[in-house]
Amino acid sequence: MKIGTWVAAALLGALALCVAVIWTFNWNLVRAPLDRQLSELLHRPVSMQDLSVSWFWPQDRSGWRGWLPLPRIRVQGLVVGNPQWIQGDGNLLQAGDVAVVVDPWVLPDRVARIDSLQVTAAQASLQRAQDGAVNWSLTQAPSADSASDWSFDLRRLQLQDVDVRVRDAANRLDLRASLNSLPQVTSEGYGLGWKLSGSYNRAPVQGQGSSGGILSLQQGGQPFPIDATVKIGETLIQARGSVTRPQDLAALDVQLKLQGATMADLYPILGVVLPNTPAYSTEGHLVGTLQPGHETWTYSGFRGKVGASDIEGTLEYRIRKPRPLLSGELRSSLLRFKDLGPLVGVDSAARKARRLEAVHNAEGEALQPAKRVRQPAGKVLPVDPISTDSWGTMDADVRFSGQKIVHSKELPLDHIQTHVVLSDRVLRLEPLDFGVAGGTLATVIHVDGRGKPLKADMTLTARHLKLKRLFPGAESMNASFGELHGDAKLAGAGNSIAALLGHANGDVRALISKGTISRLLLETAGLNVANILINKLFGDSQVVLNCMASDFSVRDGLMSIRVFRLDTTDAVVDVTGTINLATEALNLDVTPKNKSVRVFTLRTPLYAHGTFAHPDVGVYKGPLLLRAGAAALLGVVATPFAALLPLLNPGTTEAADCQAMLAHPGRTPAPEARSKRKAPTHSAPEPR
């Protein structure tokens, strides 16, 4: 028993001596060899100016672990260098004061647990190379993913005057963040304040916000609060809510505000392909569920503005293979037609020319957006390229409805309804329907963006468009009546609106039954060539129109007139020739013929040459007179009107004159037959 007692006493004494030595040991004596060991272990230079260790019993631990003390390690003047493949003299970390509480009792479980980490007056520089190698990896060779069977658990983090710089060459990211723990955790759970500055894709970045002060990578059941305001280029993002398990974004629930110059700028930021738009702002509820196999973002009940148009609805972004899917429904109570211009490449003063320099597709390849092309002088059709590079990054299935559309100069379109489907770089607008002036404009558009140039085809049907309501901005329209009908079917290839029309093939037909035309009406419609012709033929007076029928064939951008006839109360006007959509050149002959035997000055043929922007309308003289007249006569006699018969509306009396003209294209109604018809409600001016 004595021997056992002495042995036990010796062991306890040795243990007490060891504890006393460890408790009071001057750790600076081993600082130099420890620096060397850490440098070899981490494959980068490590140095410390002062090292101390103290032990304590934590108050928040229960069970047998509560009997075991934990060491608090304090390092002053800590410097951790970069690996050798990093160029320059910078360091990974420089810290004035670092205090860390570790739990050595879980090391047998291959867990590196830090109960508390306090960092004061530190600068960290995190870098990712173009090939994906990162300077914070503890392996010797550059690698983007270093596998390890150890797990890391950080329980509490407190930062004071900590500056972090993050540089990512692959994503063109260069950010500086200033981090400071709040004096105490707020009632909402915010414990960390931060500020951002730098650039992303060479666009300036500014931001600030607050987040949770307790970081738990193992027990993430409690939501992690965030409140952030970040501006990237011209895009402002505000989010307030919570994240569940921040280490893997298991769920996100925030109130989100977005504001920017165009929704297209959101693609390199959020990865969602959206069209070019005017300036916008939205606010709604964003919920993200990112469990494997159920990765979905839902932006529900949002409201906002796009240009001067309002917008609301719900969108869902689902991550799937081979491409993500954007689906949902959008609504607008008041839609300004001008705000739709950027969707088709039309110049808009509201659009900003600056864009983020590069985006990436689903495979991570850099995509350079199409550069903005200045509209050439004298060209009317838009030449700005339609970029389809980002179409392959996702699919879409979105329905949109607008209750009222407002055009500039008070031209109202009743409504719009469309179904946008994007699948494997093929875009379908089926349908794209408008309510126009009491009638309907039904359109189906297919655009194949799988190759260059892109291929597109369009089918358009216009029915019962009331002339009296079509241009309410014209003061003379109180005397107008009748309807416009039309059909168009075109297909072409090109990378802009101008190129598509310049290579288009198809047919275009239009019919106006019983109405009036005037210079003021044509000015309101923006039809410069028609305005000049009518002015030369009839002067400034209103002209009663019995019928106007036109039929064009389009071959490789060249519109050839099969039939173009205006039947008025006193004259028949035939138009022949071509319109070149590729060069925007006009080559038209206009031949009027009076219906009565009285002296009538409309017998001189006219021509319309020049371009869309600068038309040249004049009078044929000499031998050209016979040639123009013969061409007009040949066009009328040789070309049938049968193709225009489906455009008639037999249910209205206004169609009677068109029915007669189309049934007998070479015959004009006799004056006595015209006198038996119901006279118009206003007196027609005497033609010159």
Side-chain angles (χ1 to χ4, degrees), residues 191-347:
L192 181 68
W194 49 268
K195 293 183 179 180
L196 285 179
S197 64
S199 64
Y200 175 56
N201 275 332
R202 297 185 181 177
V205 176
Q206 295 288 335
Q208 62 181 0
S210 302
S211 62
I214 299 177
L215 298 178
S216 176
L217 304 183
Q218 297 295 332
Q219 300 175 356
Q222 184 176 359
F224 182 79
I226 58 172
D227 184 2
T229 299
V230 179
K231 187 174 184 181
I232 304 176
E234 299 178 50
T235 302
L236 179 65
I237 303 174
Q238 294 178 289
R240 183 182 179 89
S242 62
V243 180
T244 301
R245 294 215 312 270
Q247 72 276 15
D248 57 5
L249 280 179
L252 179 71
D253 189 339
V254 298
Q255 197 69 17
L256 181 67
K257 295 182 181 180
L258 294 173
Q259 181 179 335
T262 171
M263 289 187 179
D265 286 347
L266 292 174
Y267 173 60
I269 301 173
L270 304 180
V272 180
V273 180
L274 295 173
N276 282 318
T277 66
Y280 70 95
S281 63
T282 67
E283 179 178 0
H285 187 201
L286 178 65
V287 176
T289 303
L290 301 182
Q291 298 290 349
H294 302 280
E295 302 170 348
T296 304
W297 296 88
T298 303
Y299 193 31
S300 61
F302 68 84
R303 293 174 175 268
K305 288 279 189 179
V306 178
S309 307
D310 66 88
I311 190 171
E312 62 179 22
T314 296
L315 291 174
E316 180 183 271
Y317 187 72
R318 184 182 307 166
I319 299 178
R320 62 173 194 177
K321 296 295 184 180
R323 291 169 301 277
L325 173 65
L326 177 68
S327 60
E329 293 189 3
L330 301 175
R331 298 174 299 278
S332 177
S333 300
L334 185 63
L335 179 65
R336 189 178 66 164
F337 193 76
K338 184 179 179 180
D339 295 333
L340 299 177
L343 298 177
V344 294
V346 178
D347 285 321

Side-chain angles (χ1 to χ4, degrees), residues 362-381:
E363 292 76 23
E365 300 171 347
L367 299 176
Q368 296 295 334
K371 293 183 178 180
R372 191 83 176 148
V373 176
R374 184 181 298 274
Q375 187 74 12
K379 294 283 288 186
V380 175
L381 299 177

Side-chain angles (χ1 to χ4, degrees), residues 544-564:
V544 177
L545 180 67
N546 297 323
C547 182
M548 188 203 78
S550 61
D551 184 5
F552 297 85
S553 68
V554 184
R555 298 294 179 267
D556 201 20
L558 184 66
M559 296 182 64
S560 302
I561 298 178
R562 295 191 185 107
V563 170
F564 199 119

Side-chain angles (χ1 to χ4, degrees), residues 386-388 391 446-456 492-496 500:
I386 302 173
S387 176
T388 62
W391 288 16
H446 291 179
V447 182
D448 189 345
R450 290 175 293 185
K452 289 186 180 296
L454 59 85
K455 298 178 181 179
N495 292 323
S496 66
L500 285 170

Side-chain angles (χ1 to χ4, degrees), residues 27-49 51 78-81:
W27 290 90
N28 281 313
L29 298 177
V30 297
R31 179 166 47 85
L34 186 59
D35 288 345
R36 291 192 297 270
Q37 291 295 327
L38 289 175
S39 298
E40 293 179 4
L41 177 65
L42 301 180
H43 308 290
R44 65 201 68 206
V46 177
S47 65
M48 297 174 283
Q49 292 182 0
L51 174 64
L78 175 64
V79 177
V80 180

Side-chain angles (χ1 to χ4, degrees), residues 79-126:
V79 177
V80 180
N82 278 314
Q84 295 181 355
W85 58 271
I86 292 289
Q87 301 296 327
D89 299 329
N91 295 307
L92 173 64
L93 175 66
Q94 288 181 272
D97 195 339
V98 177
V100 55
V101 176
V102 299
D103 188 349
W105 314 114
V106 296
L107 290 177
D109 299 329
R110 307 186 74 81
V111 176
R113 177 172 297 169
I114 297 178
D115 269 22
S116 174
L117 175 61
Q118 297 177 343
V119 182
T120 304
Q123 296 85 38
S125 178
L126 307 179

